[in-house]
Amino acid sequence: MDNPLPDVVLPGSRAVIVFDGVCVLCNGWVRFLLRHDHARRYRFAAMQSDAGRALLARHGLDPRDPASFLLIEGERAWTDSDAIRRVLAGLGGPWRFAHALAVVPRVVRDPLYRALARHRYRLFGRHADCLLPSAEARDRFLE
C-alpha cells in the first residue's frame, strides 16, 4: 500500500489526533482543542480521510469500524481514555491535571469511553459530511 503520510508523523513533529469527522461530539472536541492548543501542538486527521484511515490501520485499528480515538506522538500511539488524558495534559496550564485521571484504573475508564464512543451518533448526532476547517486552522489538518 502506498504511504499517503510522508513524514507527517515523525519524531519531533507535532502530535496527530485521528477523530471521527462526521461525529458532532468529536467535531466539538476538535474545536475545543483548536481554541485551547495555544502551542499548536496537535494536528488532526478525520478517520474518513485517506490519511486518517492509513493512520488507523498502521496502529492496528479497523478503519471500517472506527470506535477509537487515536493520538500519535512520534513513534508511540494511544487510544481511548489514555489518549484523551494525554491530549488534555498536553495543552498545559491547568489541563496538566488530566494526568490525575490515571488513578482511575483503565479497566474502569476504557469501558466508559467505549460505551460513549459506541453510542456517540445516537447521543450527539452526526453530520452528513466531514466539516471543513476554517482558513486559519486548515494547516492543522492532514487533509
Side-chain angles (χ1 to χ4, degrees):
M1 170 159 126
D2 290 328
N3 181 4
L5 305 167
D7 303 332
V8 295
V9 188
L10 294 175
S13 69
R14 289 185 287 179
V16 176
I17 293 169
V18 182
F19 71 102
D20 185 344
V22 297
C23 169
V24 171
L25 175 66
C26 305
N27 277 279
W29 168 242
V30 170
R31 284 192 301 276
F32 168 85
L33 292 173
L34 287 169
R35 255 190 334 273
H36 293 283
D37 181 17
H38 303 294
R40 299 176 61 86
R41 177 179 177 165
Y42 300 113
R43 296 184 72 193
F44 306 92
M47 51 183 59
Q48 291 81 7
S49 69
D50 290 340
R53 284 190 300 275
L55 286 168
L56 288 170
R58 181 182 293 170
H59 292 282
L61 300 171
D62 184 354
R64 292 165 291 148
D65 185 24
S68 251
F69 172 79
L70 178 64
L71 168 66
I72 304 159
E73 293 178 299
E75 300 291 323
R76 302 220 31 215
W78 290 267
T79 61
D80 301 337
S81 64
D82 282 339
I84 299 290
R85 183 175 55 84
R86 287 189 66 84
V87 167
L88 284 171
L91 294 176
W95 299 108
R96 288 187 323 262
F97 295 108
H99 275 307
L101 293 172
V103 300
V104 178
R106 190 178 308 151
V107 70
V108 173
R109 287 183 281 127
D110 282 351
L112 291 172
Y113 170 82
R114 287 187 195 116
L116 178 65
R118 239 186 345 267
H119 301 289
R120 67 189 181 273
Y121 296 145
R122 187 170 47 90
L123 294 171
F124 299 98
R126 174 184 184 135
H127 297 292
D129 296 305
C130 290
L131 296 181
L132 297 175
S134 66
E136 305 84 53
R138 198 163 290 133
D139 68 316
R140 311 255 325 256
F141 289 77
L142 298 185
E143 287 185 34

